[in-house]
Amino acid sequence: MVPINLDDYERLARERLPQMVFDYYFGGAGDELTIRENRVGWQRLRLRPRVLVDVATRDLSTTVLGQRLSFPVLTAPCAFNALAHPEGECAVARAATAAGIIQVVSTAGTFSLEEVAAAAPAGARWFQLYCYRDRGVTRSLVERATGAGYRALCLTVDAPLVGRRDRDERNRFGLPPGMTWKNLERVGLDRMEAREEGSALVQYISEIWDPSLTWEAIEWLRSLSQLPLVIKGILTADDAGRAVDSGAAVIIVSNHGGRQLDGTLSTSEALAEVADAVGDRVEILVDGGIRRGSDILKALALGARAVLIGRPYLWALAVAGQAGVEHLLELLRDELDLDMALSGRPTIASIDRTLLCRADGELKK
Amino acid sequence: MVPINLDDYERLARERLPQMVFDYYFGGAGDELTIRENRVGWQRLRLRPRVLVDVATRDLSTTVLGQRLSFPVLTAPCAFNALAHPEGECAVARAATAAGIIQVVSTAGTFSLEEVAAAAPAGARWFQLYCYRDRGVTRSLVERATGAGYRALCLTVDAPLVGRRDRDERNRFGLPPGMTWKNLERVGLDRMEAREEGSALVQYISEIWDPSLTWEAIEWLRSLSQLPLVIKGILTADDAGRAVDSGAAVIIVSNHGGRQLDGTLSTSEALAEVADAVGDRVEILVDGGIRRGSDILKALALGARAVLIGRPYLWALAVAGQAGVEHLLELLRDELDLDMALSGRPTIASIDRTLLCRADGELKK
Amino acid sequence: MVPINLDDYERLARERLPQMVFDYYFGGAGDELTIRENRVGWQRLRLRPRVLVDVATRDLSTTVLGQRLSFPVLTAPCAFNALAHPEGECAVARAATAAGIIQVVSTAGTFSLEEVAAAAPAGARWFQLYCYRDRGVTRSLVERATGAGYRALCLTVDAPLVGRRDRDERNRFGLPPGMTWKNLERVGLDRMEAREEGSALVQYISEIWDPSLTWEAIEWLRSLSQLPLVIKGILTADDAGRAVDSGAAVIIVSNHGGRQLDGTLSTSEALAEVADAVGDRVEILVDGGIRRGSDILKALALGARAVLIGRPYLWALAVAGQAGVEHLLELLRDELDLDMALSGRPTIASIDRTLLCRADGELKK
Amino acid sequence: MVPINLDDYERLARERLPQMVFDYYFGGAGDELTIRENRVGWQRLRLRPRVLVDVATRDLSTTVLGQRLSFPVLTAPCAFNALAHPEGECAVARAATAAGIIQVVSTAGTFSLEEVAAAAPAGARWFQLYCYRDRGVTRSLVERATGAGYRALCLTVDAPLVGRRDRDERNRFGLPPGMTWKNLERVGLDRMEAREEGSALVQYISEIWDPSLTWEAIEWLRSLSQLPLVIKGILTADDAGRAVDSGAAVIIVSNHGGRQLDGTLSTSEALAEVADAVGDRVEILVDGGIRRGSDILKALALGARAVLIGRPYLWALAVAGQAGVEHLLELLRDELDLDMALSGRPTIASIDRTLLCRADGELKK
């Protein structure tokens, strides 16, 4: 099968990846209700196309934090890309750069942040991080990311502890011998091999992440670096307001792809709330459940500046490495391009709430 | 199996048609959400029958643009009818004429518009068209349609580009050798054979249709011909208002059978909105998801003057040619006739919004 | 399997009856949406039980038209009971009488109304009728029913024509040799054998029923007899008001078990509307989708005085004749008895709208 | 399979238990609609996590009636625990005590209340009871429970009669030889062996329980003992108000796990209503459909002080006796602990209505 949409890549990856790896990428917390609702949430929204608009040329480009994107997509900070393909985060870096988009590089990389940066020097990337019990570890990561030319710091705030994913518990998920949290090698925290029982990830993280983090940490992080701060994992208007007040430059509406707390607001529900609350004060991104160009269109109409995709690029990476990710981004870009034409919104700026309603006519305010 | 309803014809056609052809007719854009919602949208509406009305005689006839229809159905402008049956559009012309309804003939016919007209001279038909990059092509089609006695021009406005239908991409959909866009033969644009990869249709259309069309084109089209103008592909009140202002005589509420932009309003949702907005100023038709006489009843109750059916007549054409289409129209007419009797609305004029409510009592305004 | 609930009888009957007969009883019009919605409509309503009520003795008895029922159920007027069992309507008569409830005897009986009356002289029964093109036929039936001691006339008003049931079309439904519309033997209209194609019922009825009936007929019918008039087949407040104004003593909210017009209001939706409109002026019954004692409880809470069951008694009749119907009525009675106890409503009079709400708290007005 | 969540225990127990026993525990009344809705009701609620809260330490402990619980769970009063495991209620007693929670001991124990108390003397437990036709039986049970150190009396009020569970009818559910209602041995009411037909439980209970109980009984019960009174089986605001007025110290919102009246309010719906009505005047517990830590979180957010789990501990008991129950409680506790961290509510007191909304944004008042 030649993959012609994002779901095709998932189907192909399912055949190729070891069960433990596929499950780690695919699965989520609890009963995986949030995974389902993220997807269905986008599908429930209805598009209201406008006809007889000149769509001969479409311009999908936008900016996030002043950085130009060829189309409003970033790659989300997924862990352990080398589980999918030996070139891991480096292949993603090259694909994102080729596509003209931003890669958000995970702390939990199987290549170091310097290696990723070196793999595609021309590219724009952000560094995602957690805060460690040992603040020195965090500080050092910030310094290294700054030094390596990363453009923003992305703090994930929905993971004071790691979610419990039953698939990983059953599979006793851990990294294979020789694969490590490369960024933490210098501080001796890079080993996370499979253990006797349960998920090695859960056990590892409970030892090193700092679950006592509060908004004070935002101030501290901002003191470490001139880089703009992106806060990832906001689902409510209240927290969005606090994030803006604390100086966040970007908010990523996210429930961590359903991998942390099962049963939350879906991402489309949360995006509407957050955009209504702070849409005029901060740039808003969203991830979770985006699989089609029309999903991007809906997210932008609700108020997102761009979206992040996570699992899909892992599937493409597993199937065909860098070329796979490039192809996947091209498929998604083409879908968005066409859907912008067909909805009569040839530019990003022309996409607004008038493009949407719910089933049977509500919303559209 | 002797077909006794429209779905029977679909089942039979599925067995008989080559997969590529069945998929081309059956499928739609993206995840085919809109195809499903079109169908379910009609089913969700509830009928409120009126009893003890004299229904001994029912009159299903109506007029559209002053033209009498024996019952409120037109055949939609579907492309390439010869894929279903060698007599293609000509067989449909004869069936529609025999049934006393209007055939809306697609530009993308496998017979020329003159051949179709000659196949059933007594029939009433409209000519559907797109606007080409070369306006001379459009002008010539308009002149030919006028000359061949067509009664109206139907401009499709939801297709500045053609939708991406994954089935066609996989099947590398194209026309078999010898079959062409017959109407474009004179301008040398009739060849659309299968290509190395992807849908030949998508590639073909991207080269010749004009994606820069705006409302100005309506004015231009109206200047070419005295024929009334039908605008097909409107889904919102705003666009309906502009269509009326620009002089459209008929609006067809349509999402192109879910083949263009996936995830739009369903046709029943859009019809309610459009009818509320301009129902008193223009004739409104609707297509998408109509499979039962009771669906027609619901569409008329929402404010449509008539409905178009697309896929179903292709199934009947595939199964039994002209006779199949005639039989199918008879089945649908009989269903509507009975349902008008059983709902206490023996004439088209007696069908109004009081006949409808949503599940659990809403609507009915 | 020993049947312990109504659905068990359906399962058993499905095994035993010829397909054509099972389909005739089981099926409905169109896509059978209304059959499904009738069932689901009751299930969607939520019960609000009241605790610590003395329910040591329950009194399920009620009256309809002053006639005592041991519990609030009547057998609905189903046609051709002998298709299920040789004793047909006579077995049902004996079972209903034994159970202390009213049998509504269908005109379309396979035994004459006199035979049914003679089968259980002590029982109370109503005679259901249609109006024929030849009013003499109707008048004669009314006279015979009056003479045979029937207590009410039940005019079915949702069938100016008979619904189109695709199962019957496929099966070419007709009566087997020797079985007839016994009540119409005297007027030579009793033969309805299977025909070359389609449903014999549809063809038969289109020739003899009067589709021109209006409210005037109610006046005429009332002039023929002193018997109270029951109007069966009302789904809206408007028609309910007219029925009351025209002198109906009882309204039966019904969509003919989904066998006439597919896609109507469900019976629970219609009951709520009708009860709100005329609940204080007339006795209201309901049929359609009742399969559990708790469904009866819900119907009574919405405002019905009693319910009719149709298909279930046919299944029991098919499985075990009179004894089967008696057992089925006992099962249903026992369920209602228990559910009245468990909801803290030990008498029929104590069942009201406070017992109900919709999912997530609406209704309960 | 090593069980890692509550549903795993159900799957394992299904394999191990005799069908009659599994069905008795698993099944419910009627069509088991309420069982399904209890589960789905919790799943439909959406969590609104708060980020950047210090959750380094979580305190799951709470009190019910002043008694400390290590986490807000009690074991529900399920009958006949020895059907699952020979040590029955005694094993549960030891597990609950080890876990630091309250066991609500059923009257219908297969061990006497004194045996259960002796099995885990350090534990806190309540005694659940019904009222018998012979009030002396009830009085004697109250005296024995008081004497044996039980901390509260829990009167079940949703069972004036026992619900009809079709599974038990089919299986002719009864106790195997040698197993009895141990608590009623002294009064000679302990035998409930399988009978010729139907459920022995239904027949047994109809003879001894008092279906005439009213609120007066509450007063009488309170006169018998100084123990606080818990009323179990309230679903509406009205009854909750009466329960508080009559001196109940705790209300348990419950529909008896869907085993009594099928089609009631789901437990989450009822909890919201009851908490709104009397949440400030009484302690409220809830049972029914709780299978995940996030369900507990939702229940507490709606206003419950703690939840009861029933079926799940029976599955664990069947799979591994006391150790199984301990493990199950640990799994549930760990899930709640993590979900409190991930929702930014590190203490029970921090869990309130702001944590919840319905799909698409309603509620949250």
Side-chain angles (χ1 to χ4, degrees), chain B residues 105-132:
Chain B
V105 177
S106 168
T107 283
T110 38
F111 287 87
S112 72
L113 65 90
E114 291 84 2
E115 287 169 318
V116 177
R125 58 190 60 84
W126 299 352
F127 188 67
Q128 177 272 340
L129 74 165
Y130 296 102
C131 274
Y132 297 88

Side-chain angles (χ1 to χ4, degrees), chain C residues 5 8 47-48 51 360, chain D residues 37 166 170 239 263 269 273:
Chain C
N5 58 39
D8 279 356
L47 291 169
R48 302 170 52 78
V51 300
D360 290 328
Chain D
E37 291 298 310
D166 288 353
R170 286 191 215 289
D239 278 345
E269 292 168 334
E273 173 176 329

Side-chain angles (χ1 to χ4, degrees), chain C residues 124-313:
Chain C
R125 59 189 59 85
W126 298 352
F127 187 67
Q128 177 271 341
L129 72 165
Y130 296 101
C131 275
Y132 297 88
R133 292 175 188 270
D134 176 352
R135 289 211 168 175
V137 172
T138 308
R139 183 198 311 266
S140 144
L141 286 169
V142 169
E143 285 166 4
R144 287 169 56 196
T146 309
Y150 283 73
R151 310 282 180 95
L153 299 174
C154 171
L155 181 72
T156 299
V157 295
D158 58 11
L161 297 172
V162 75
R164 181 180 165 98
R165 301 150 197 173
D166 287 354
R167 294 170 190 256
D168 294 349
E169 293 295 316
R170 286 191 215 289
N171 296 331
R172 297 194 290 120
F173 173 73
L175 293 180
M179 200 177 290
T180 66
W181 283 60
K182 204 62 180 301
N183 283 316
L184 302 184
E185 199 171 38
R186 300 183 193 180
V187 291
L189 293 173
D190 56 320
R191 307 289 292 274
M192 197 195 83
E193 287 165 20
R195 306 196 182 184
E196 285 300 303
E197 59 171 83
S199 161
L201 182 67
V202 168
Q203 299 168 57
Y204 170 87
I205 284 173
S206 67
E207 292 162 12
I208 63 168
W209 285 0
D210 179 3
S212 73
L213 221 63
T214 65
W215 292 96
E216 166 274 332
I218 304 297
E219 203 168 333
W220 174 74
L221 255 183
R222 290 180 63 213
S223 76
L224 298 183
S225 163
Q226 297 297 319
L227 291 178
L229 187 65
V230 178
I231 298 187
K232 176 168 178 285
I234 300 280
L235 290 175
T236 67
D238 278 357
D239 278 345
R242 295 198 68 168
V244 174
D245 293 342
S246 73
V250 175
I251 286 173
I252 304 181
V253 171
S254 172
N255 49 36
H256 214 116
R259 300 166 74 85
Q260 290 289 104
L261 179 64
D262 196 36
T264 66
L265 289 170
S266 71
T267 44
S268 59
E269 292 168 334
L271 174 59
E273 173 176 329
V274 168
D276 287 345
V278 299
D280 52 347
R281 298 169 61 202
V282 70
E283 292 186 354
I284 301 172
L285 310 183
V286 66
D287 71 11
I290 303 282
R291 295 293 179 273
R292 287 282 186 184
S294 55
D295 298 330
I296 304 177
L297 204 52
K298 290 170 180 175
L300 269 53
L302 281 180
R305 192 156 184 93
V307 307
L308 296 88
I309 57 160
R311 291 176 180 95
Y313 81 75

Side-chain angles (χ1 to χ4, degrees), chain D residues 271-294:
Chain D
L271 174 59
E273 173 176 329
V274 168
D276 287 344
V278 299
D280 53 346
R281 299 169 61 201
V282 71
E283 292 185 354
I284 301 172
L285 309 183
V286 66
D287 71 11
I290 302 283
R291 296 294 179 272
R292 288 282 186 185
S294 54

